Every structure is written in C-alpha cells, then in structure tokens.
C-alpha cells in the first residue's frame, strides 16, 4: 500500500490542453446558501424512467421526505430538499441540452427546514447485508454526480464478485469546474468512508483514486485521509491534466491500462467507476440516513461577481445561486450548466440545479466566445488527432451531414462520447458534436419508429391470422353440421323423436320444480 | 435574465483555415526566393499572375453560385493552389496558359465539385497535367539555372516575354531555354549513355540538378516548418520519400551505370515540393495515419516508375492525381481501431 502512486499505467489517444480556470472558484471554502423561497424538482434528474410524484399540490412536506418514487429498476426517487408546501406539479424549464420543459414538483419553502424522520444510520456497515446497503443507496435517490446521473445502486448490484477494481473518478478534467476539488479538500474523511462502504459491497480488491495533477491540495488531503484510515490497496493516482481524462473510459485506461469494451461497461472488465461526489453522497446515505437533497455546485465565470462553490439544495434556481455569489457582472453572456466543453447553454436563469449539475458557468464573451461561422471541412485531420475515442470525426461529420446514418455507424458514431475535443480544434469552426448529436437522435428515433412499425406489423399479422382462424372454424362447424344432417337423414326419425322426448322431459321437470318452490314460499309466508 | 444559447463545446477555436493556409504560403517563401534567384523574375510574375487569376475565378464562380465571396477568398486556399501551380510551371510560360490553367483548376477542378473541401483532385496538379499534355512544348521550355545562363533577363524583359512573346533582339527560344535535369537524364539514358558520362554535363550540382537542388533544399526547410507547426504530419512526406529512396537505391545498387543515384531522384525535380506541399494537401489525401503511409508510399512508387519506365521525365503530378483517386478507398480500409473495439478473432 502506498499513499500516492505517481505513475499511470496507460494513456489515451488525443485529448487537449487548455487553460483550466480552476483558481477563480477555489479561493474560499464551500459556502452554505440560504434556503431559496422556491425549489423546482424535475421528476427526471437521472438516466432511466422519470420518478413518479407521490405527493400532490397543497401537501406539506418535510425535509428528506420522499416526494417522487422510482418507477422501475433504472430510476431514482426524489426527496424534498427542505420543508414546505407543494405549490404545483407542472412543466418547467429543466437543465437539458434541448432547452425544453419537463414535469417538475415545485415546493414553496417554509424556511423552517424541518427534517422528516430519516431511516436509521447503518454505522456498522461491515456487518450489514449487501442487499440492505444497496437498498439504502437506491432509496436515497443517489445517482452519478459527475454528470452522467446513472442510478448508483445498479452499479453496486451483485456481480458474483467479478469486480476487481474500484475507480474513484476525481479527475475533474473540465475547465472551470472545482466542486470535486473542493469536496476533496474539505471532506476527504467522509469520502474515504464512502470508499470503504463501496469496497465492502463490491468486494473489490483494490481502489484507485484518479486526480488530475492540477489539484495538489485535493491530492494531499485525499492521500492523508487514505493513510489515516489505513485503507488497504487504495492508491491516490495523480493523472496528467489532459482533457478528457475524467471520461470514464479515458480514466479507466489511464489507471489500469485496460480499455472498456466498445458498447460495454467497465464492469465487463471487472471495474466499477464512481464519481467522488457520489461516494460522498453514499456515505451520507449509509452513515447518516440522509437522502440526496443537496450537492456542491461551482458558480464561476467572468459573468459572476464572486466565483465560488456552494452547498446548493437540489432544485435551487440558477439565478438564486448566482445572486448568492454576488450576482452578475456586466460581462455575463452565457449561462452554462456544466463545464464549457460538455455543458448545456441555458436561455434563462430560472433553470434549477438538479442532481447532475456540477457547475454554473456564467461565461463572458472572453470565457466562451460565440461560435464563428463554419467554413468547409478541409479534412485536415486535427479532429482525429484530438479524438480520445480514436474515431475519425471528419468522416462522421461528412456522413452525419449528408444523413448517411448507416455509414456514420460504420465509422462508430456511437463510440463518440461528445467530449467536444474535435470541435475545439477544428480550423473550419464546424460544430462537429452538434452533427453527431443530430445523427444519434435521428438513428434513435428511426429505431423507435421501426419498433413501432414492427409492432404494428405483428398486430396486423395477428389479426389476419385470427380472422383466418375464425373463418376456418366456421367452415369446420358448417362441415360438421352438414355431416350431422347427413347422418340424421340416414338415421331416420327415431333420433329426432328421442331428442323431442328429452326436451319435453326437461320442460316438465323444470315446471314441477317451479311449482314446488312457490308452494314452499307460500307456506313460509303463512 | 436572457442568455445566448449555443451548442457545446463553448470554448473558442484555436485555429482557423486562413491561418493554416497562410502558414503554408509562408513555408513556401524560402523556396520561392531560391527559385527566383536561380530562374529569374518569371517565377514571381507567374505567382502574381496565377494568384490573380485564381482569386478572380473563385470570386466569379462564388458570385454565380450566390455565395458570400469574401469569407471564401479570405481562406487563401485559391492562393495556395496558385502558388503551387506557379512554382511548377516553366518561368517563361505564356501568360494565357498560366491563366487558362488557373481557370481550369479553380472553376472545373475545385468549384464545380463544390469548392474547398469537396474536390477529389489536387487543383494545381490537375491544371499542370492538363497543360502538360495539351501544350508539351511550352510546358517543357525551362530556363537554365543562373550559373549556366548566358542571358540574364531583367524584370521588364521577362514581362515582355510572358505577355508579348517578345524575345530580346537576337535571342531565340532554343538559345534561351534548356532541358531540365530530369529530361536530360532521360534523353541521355535513352541514347545508351552511362551515368558517369551523363554526370559530366554542367546541369548537375552536388547531388541533384544544379540550382534545383538548392530550391529543393529551401522547400525542404519550409516542409520542416510545416511539420513543426503541425500543419502536416510526417506520414505522407516520409513514406513518399522513403519509397523513392528504397526503389532508387535498389535499382541503383543493381546497375549503378544505368540508374541514377537515389538522391538524384529527390533533388532534381518536384519530389520535395510534392512530398511536403502537394501530396499533403489534406482535402485530396487520405485522412487516416495508416492510410497516409500507404498513400505516400504509392505516390513514391508511381513517381519512380513513371520516371524510370513511363513517358514523362517527372511524374509527381501524375502520381498525386492517380493516388487522389484511390484516397477514399484507402481511407475506408485503414480506419484506426476505435477505443474499446475488440480485435477480431479468427472465425469469430
């Protein structure tokens, strides 16, 4: 065991160096913010099925109370971040690249911040059953806080002890974002507790904590915490600052020298990767019984007066947080949820912070210049040199643009992680990632249509088969009847007489039974 | 508060096409100066004339296509085409051939295919080949390098020759021009002369054509500049030059009196210019690294083969155009292994 292992085992193709702009928001400790008057909680804050609201408008809720339940395995519940009254369940702008609205629960806070009754802490997690721990993580609504927002409990489920390595993703490679950095500086001990919980559940033999070398304080604090807890086979690994080293696939390659299979997940090669913020939230859920109702958010950029990190309640609007950070400067031009490379640009600051929002970048035109008009692709190949997935972005662009989606998939469109390196280096200023997103969504919607069409065809075929069957049955009945009639003709009148006699007998029996019943009724009333 | 919304990434761009093209032009400056020194003002006049023709032709077509003219002209790609063409043609080529070549390059080879980025063939080389097969006499009337030149032509005289076919008093084309080293080598070899005899000619310098070897050296310097600036990568130049050197060495070792020594091939014609400035044109080359090695090597093989056994003394233009045709196919079959892609197992 060593506290720091300076060497990485692999390196990924391409990537880009750029100014990291981390210093601006790390000058002061993570600040608490006052409870905003209103919280907006989208039902979909995670990958998978949207949660189902279990409260209705007008209801009073307490802090930590379940307000929307997971619907299905890949889903996550949502809890009230503070006490208050549900004022509405309606559509509201959400942080999503589409810039569209989605169903949200809106809470008017009461300022009392009253806790609901929380599930009991599981202090002795080493003797707790895995199923109990995983259920706790699931019901606490914990999802990947690095931005992917995949429900964390699913990654922890039993894999027959096939997990060999736990990777803690603390690379935080995007410029401007410092929430993981600050978390590690201030909460290293609880992160280490979280690592121990996850290690215990997964039974992983070793744990690698990957941190980019532009965060020396975080590296120091994490190394100290790991040493203090005398964690076995846990290494803080310093990785070179090179975007996108914090991509799950890139970090896996850096730390282990192994590649996650195309179309696969790290578990396929015995690895589980968790973001450091997620690890912290897991410790909160297990050791304190607290659901995921807040997170650290970086508020930065030249458009904000006092760049800093804050503990934000989930659902706080961007505008509220910016005003906590000193408000806008005159330079504010763009509001980006996330970092400058992969974040979404939002039209207004009414957008709420969700579980996956790690940064609000209020960018000036210097931070993020408006895109210059694109010119023709000269096939210079700079994009291919920068691509961390070893793709040929110019070919993907060519085929996506001409809607030649089969060809685009031939060139491995779905291995694109949309990191934006290709667009960044493109001398023709082509918004390459935009074209890939377009192609992907077109292919998805085509697939959906195909499934629909298949379904319709199956139904049509079933209907045709059913009609044929009914017709065949009718024919068979007719044939049978005819055969019976034929045989009757041969059998003579005796059969007919027998039938008539039987019917008469039945009628007589019925009549006598009815008579008996009326008699008894009469006797009863007398 | 309302904000502007754009698609990610939101970072500014680090490079632009104009800057790329400008660096290519800058890299050619030493070679151009050397060429002017050895072959006179014609080089400069041709560059200016070709550039003017190329830019005008491009502006004209863009107008016809109802596209914005300024941003396309500003990308300098037409000027790069013009300069590459101008340093490939004889310094005293009549003006109408230079202009005609440029009109063909820009209108037919570039814009009719959709403009920059869509042309399958290198416009400068296509124009050069068109003129070479249509006007073989004019296109092979090269001047001797200054050391061998008996008549030094000043700027105005050169201008008069190019625009008015006005040779100075008492001077004939035969007296003024001279075969290129590659031409000389070919003719002499065809006459059954041995290399050692041919080398007696004053046309030879230390390891290539007199003068031309120095032009090539300066273009080589420009090429290294492009490598350093990462405008081009080493793959195409190295594989092209490597293929020529390997073939040249093999045949030279087998029969040193019947085959010129390897350095001759590099420094007597257009190989250095071709390897660093022409074959590396990204639009018409292969984009995959593995494919670039194949592309460059095959250009080298074609150059050597056409020079040694084909119908033309120099062959860079033909070789590049032939390989332009093959580029998309080479690219398709040399895709890099994508991250996480499993090696295909036998039978799987």
């Amino acid at each position: 065991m060593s506290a720091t292992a300076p060497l990485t085992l692999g390196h990924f193709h391409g990537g880009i160096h750029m100014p990291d702009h981390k210093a601006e928001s790390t000058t002061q400790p993570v600040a608490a913010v006052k409870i905003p008057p209103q919280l907006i909680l989208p039902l979909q804050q995670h990958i998978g099925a949207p949660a189902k609201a279990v409260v209705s408008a007008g209801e009073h809720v307490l802090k930590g109370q379940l307000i929307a339940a997971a619907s299905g395995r890949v889903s996550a519940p949502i809890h009230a971040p503070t006490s208050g009254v549900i004022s509405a369940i309606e559509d509201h702008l959400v942080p999503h690249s589409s810039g569209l609205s989605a169903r949200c629960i809106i809470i008017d806070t009461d300022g009392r911040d009253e806790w609901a009754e929380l599930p009991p802490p599981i202090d002795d997690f080493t003797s707790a059953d895995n199923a109990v721990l995983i259920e706790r993580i699931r019901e606490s609504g914990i999802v990947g806080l690095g931005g992917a927002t995949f429900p964390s409990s699913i990654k922890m489920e039993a894999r027959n002890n096939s997990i060999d390595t736990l990777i803690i993703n603390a690379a935080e490679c995007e410029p401007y974002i410092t929430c993981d950095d600050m978390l590690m500086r201030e909460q290293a001990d609880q992160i280490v507790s979280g690592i121990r919980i996850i290690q215990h559940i997964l039974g992983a033999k070793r744990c690698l904590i990957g941190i980019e070398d532009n965060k020396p304080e975080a590296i120091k604090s994490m190394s100290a915490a790991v040493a203090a807890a005398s964690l076995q086979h846990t290494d803080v690994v310093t990785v070179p600052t090179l975007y996108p080293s914090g991509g799950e696939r890139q970090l896996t390659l850096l730390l282990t020298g192994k590649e996650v299979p195309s179309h696969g997940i790290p578990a396929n090669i015995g690895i589980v990767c968790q973001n450091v913020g997620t690890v912290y939230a897991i410790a909160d859920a297990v050791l304190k019984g607290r659901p995921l109702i807040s997170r650290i958010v970086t508020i930065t950029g030249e458009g904000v007066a006092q760049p800093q990190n804050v503990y934000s309640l989930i659902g706080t609007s961007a505008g509220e947080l910016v005003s906590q950070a000193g408000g806008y400067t005159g330079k504010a031009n763009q509001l980006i949820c996330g970092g400058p490379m992969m974040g979404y640009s939002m039209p207004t600051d009414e957008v709420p912070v969700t579980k996956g929002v790690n940064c609000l970048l209020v960018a000036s035109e210097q931070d993020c210049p408006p895109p210059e008009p694109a010119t023709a692709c000269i096939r210079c190949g700079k994009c291919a040199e920068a691509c961390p997935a070893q793709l040929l972005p110019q070919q993907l662009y060519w085929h996506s643009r001409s809607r030649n989606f089969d060809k685009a998939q031939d060139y491995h469109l779905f291995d694109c992680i949309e990191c934006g390196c290709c667009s960044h280096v493109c001398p023709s200023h082509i918004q390459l990632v935009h074209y890939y997103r377009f192609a992907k969504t077109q292919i998805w919607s085509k697939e959906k249509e195909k499934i629909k069409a298949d379904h319709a065809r199956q139904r049509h075929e079933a209907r045709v088969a059913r009609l044929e069957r009914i017709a065949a049955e009718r024919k068979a009945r007719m044939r049978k009847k005819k055969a019976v009639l034929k045989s009757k003709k041969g059998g003579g009148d005796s059969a007919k007489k027998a039938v008539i006699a039987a019917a008469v007998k039945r009628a007589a029996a019925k009549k006598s039974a009815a008579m008996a019943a009326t008699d008894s009724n009469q006797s009863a009333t007398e | 508060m309302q904000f502007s919304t754009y698609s990610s990434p939101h970072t500014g761009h680090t490079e632009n096409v104009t800057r790329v093209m400008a660096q290519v032009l800058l890299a050619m400056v030493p070679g151009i100066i050397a060429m002017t020194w050895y072959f006179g003002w014609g080089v400069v006049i041709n560059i200016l004339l070709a550039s003017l023709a190329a830019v005008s032709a491009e502006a004209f077509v863009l107008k016809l296509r109802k596209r914005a003219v300024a941003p396309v002209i500003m990308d300098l790609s037409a000027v790069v085409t013009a300069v590459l063409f101008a340093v490939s043609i004889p310094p005293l080529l009549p003006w109408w051939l230079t202009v005609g070549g440029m009109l063909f390059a820009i209108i037919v080879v570039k814009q009719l295919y959709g403009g920059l980025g869509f042309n399958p063939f290198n416009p400068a080389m296509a124009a050069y080949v068109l003129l070479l097969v249509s006007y073989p006499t004019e296109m092979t009337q090269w001047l001797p390098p200054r050391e061998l030149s008996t008549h030094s032509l000043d700027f105005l005289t050169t201008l008069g020759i190019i625009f008015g076919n006005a040779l100075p008093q008492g001077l004939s084309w035969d007296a003024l021009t001279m075969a290129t080293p590659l031409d000389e080598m070919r003719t002499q070899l065809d006459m059954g002369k041995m290399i050692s005899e041919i080398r007696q000619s004053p046309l030879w310098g230390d390891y290539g054509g007199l003068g031309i070897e120095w032009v090539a050296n300066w273009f080589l310097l420009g090429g290294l500049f492009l490598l350093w600036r990462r405008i081009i990568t080493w793959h195409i130049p190295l594989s092209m030059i490597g293929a020529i050197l390997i073939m040249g060495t093999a045949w030279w070792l087998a029969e040193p009196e019947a085959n010129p020594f390897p350095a001759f091939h590099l420094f007597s014609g257009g190989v250095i210019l071709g390897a660093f400035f022409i074959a590396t044109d990204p639009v018409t080359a292969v984009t995959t690294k593995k494919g670039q090695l194949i592309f460059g090597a095959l250009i080298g093989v074609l150059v050597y083969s056409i020079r040694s056994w084909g119908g033309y003394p120099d062959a860079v233009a033909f070789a590049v155009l032939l390989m332009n045709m093959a580029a998309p196919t080479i690219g398709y079959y040399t895709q890099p292994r994508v991250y996480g892609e499993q090696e295909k197992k036998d039978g799987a």
Side-chain angles (χ1 to χ4, degrees), chain B residues 69-275:
Chain B
V69 174
V72 178
I73 298 296
M74 286 303 294
D75 71 23
L76 296 181
S77 63
V79 179
V80 170
T81 298
V83 175
L84 284 172
F85 175 76
V87 297
S88 308
I89 55 177
L92 294 182
L93 193 71
W95 68 273
W96 53 277
L97 280 178
T98 308
V99 171
M102 275 297 93
L103 295 183
F104 175 72
I106 298 296
I107 297 176
V108 179
V109 185
K110 188 179 175 190
Q111 286 292 341
L112 284 191
Y113 281 98
L116 180 64
F118 297 93
N119 49 306
F121 296 104
N122 186 309
M125 290 302 101
Y128 176 83
V129 163
L130 176 82
L131 294 189
L132 185 65
V133 297
S134 314
Y135 301 90
T137 320
E138 287 84 347
M139 285 294 283
T140 46
Q141 280 174 333
W142 268 83
L143 289 177
R146 80 183 284 118
E147 286 92 336
L148 303 178
S149 174
T150 46
H151 323 274
S152 81
L153 302 170
D154 60 23
F155 184 79
L156 285 177
T157 317
T158 312
L159 211 59
I161 295 174
I162 290 176
F163 282 93
N165 199 17
L167 290 184
Q169 280 282 288
L171 209 59
S172 70
W173 275 104
D174 281 348
L176 193 60
T177 61
M178 198 180 255
T180 66
L182 285 170
D183 223 352
E184 173 82 358
M185 175 64 79
R186 194 184 174 78
T187 323
Q188 300 287 336
L189 280 175
D190 284 350
M191 286 159 61
K193 293 237 179 101
M194 299 212 288
I195 295 288
S196 49
E197 288 177 79
I198 302 171
R199 284 277 283 165
Q200 302 301 317
S201 157
L203 267 179
W204 306 109
D206 297 321
Y207 45 87
L210 185 68
I212 292 177
E213 62 189 10
W214 276 100
V215 174
N217 285 343
W218 289 109
F219 276 130
L220 179 64
L221 186 76
L224 295 177
F225 169 77
L226 290 185
L227 277 176
W228 172 62
R229 298 294 304 156
R230 297 182 179 218
I231 304 289
I232 59 172
T233 59
W234 55 269
H235 302 77
I236 292 176
L238 190 79
S239 59
M240 178 173 159
I241 290 172
I244 293 175
L245 273 183
I246 289 169
M247 285 186 85
T249 311
W251 265 269
W252 176 63
L253 285 178
E255 264 187 288
E257 281 300 336
N259 295 295
F261 55 100
F264 163 85
H265 280 288
L266 298 189
F267 292 97
S268 302
V271 168
I272 296 295
L273 180 72

Side-chain angles (χ1 to χ4, degrees), chain A residues 249 259 262 340 382 424 437, chain B residues 8 10-11 230 337 339-340:
Chain A
R249 288 161 176 262
E259 287 187 3
S262 169
K382 291 276 174 223
H424 180 78
R437 286 203 198 103
Chain B
S8 71
H10 308 282
T11 51
R230 297 182 179 218
R337 189 189 65 88
Y339 175 104

Side-chain angles (χ1 to χ4, degrees), chain A residues 228-369:
Chain A
S230 54
L231 276 191
Q232 296 295 307
H233 309 295
T234 297
D235 291 322
V236 174
V237 186
T238 309
V239 303
T241 301
L242 177 68
Y243 179 84
S245 68
E248 185 175 73
R249 288 161 176 262
Q250 283 63 41
L251 188 64
T252 302
L253 182 54
L254 279 172
L255 297 184
T256 65
K258 287 195 249 177
E259 287 187 3
V260 180
S262 169
H263 307 295
I265 55 170
N268 299 142
I269 51 168
I271 292 169
V272 162
C273 191
Q274 294 280 14
N275 166 265
V276 67
T278 316
V279 175
Y280 177 82
I282 286 174
D284 239 8
V286 172
L287 301 177
K288 297 178 187 159
R290 283 192 191 174
L292 178 61
I293 52 173
S294 72
R295 65 158 301 147
I296 301 181
V297 179
T298 306
I299 304 160
T300 187
E302 285 189 341
V304 61
Q306 296 151 19
Q308 58 184 288
N309 281 273
V310 296
Y311 285 105
S312 165
L313 294 180
I314 305 290
T316 310
S317 76
E320 196 71 42
L321 289 181
V322 170
S323 66
Q324 299 270 340
Y328 295 106
T329 64
K331 290 181 175 176
N333 177 52
Q334 250 196 102
L335 173 68
I336 298 166
C337 288
M341 294 302 288
M342 295 183 73
Y344 318 124
S345 174
M346 287 287 126
T348 77
D349 61 8
E350 282 152 33
V351 63
V353 162
T354 56
K355 294 175 183 176
V357 174
N358 47 14
C359 177
L360 293 174
L361 171 57
V362 188
S364 66
E365 290 206 8
Q366 281 73 46
D367 289 325
C368 299

Side-chain angles (χ1 to χ4, degrees), chain A residues 249 259-260 262 333-334 340 343 345 347-348 368 376-377 379 382 389-390 394 410-412 423-424 427 429 434 437, chain B residues 2-11 13 15-17 116-117 230 282-283 285 287 332 335 337-340 342:
Chain A
R249 288 161 176 262
E259 287 187 3
V260 180
S262 169
N333 177 52
Q334 250 196 102
S345 174
T348 77
C368 299
C377 167
R379 294 159 47 84
K382 291 276 174 223
Q390 288 148 250
Q394 81 280 3
D410 250 18
Y411 279 96
H412 308 278
S423 303
H424 180 78
H429 307 159
H434 201 57
R437 286 203 198 103
Chain B
Q2 281 292 318
F3 298 97
S4 322
T5 52
Y6 308 110
S7 177
S8 71
H10 308 282
T11 51
H13 296 282
E15 194 53 277
N16 68 55
V17 175
L116 180 64
R230 297 182 179 218
V283 175
T287 50
Y332 185 79
Q335 292 180 42
R337 189 189 65 88
V338 169
Y339 175 104
Q342 317 286 296

Side-chain angles (χ1 to χ4, degrees), chain A residues 21-41:
Chain A
H21 291 286
K22 305 260 190 195
E24 292 92 318
S25 54
T26 50
T27 52
Q28 58 188 80
V30 184
V33 295
K34 64 173 199 279
I35 298 166
Q38 196 176 59
L39 294 172
I40 303 130
L41 296 138

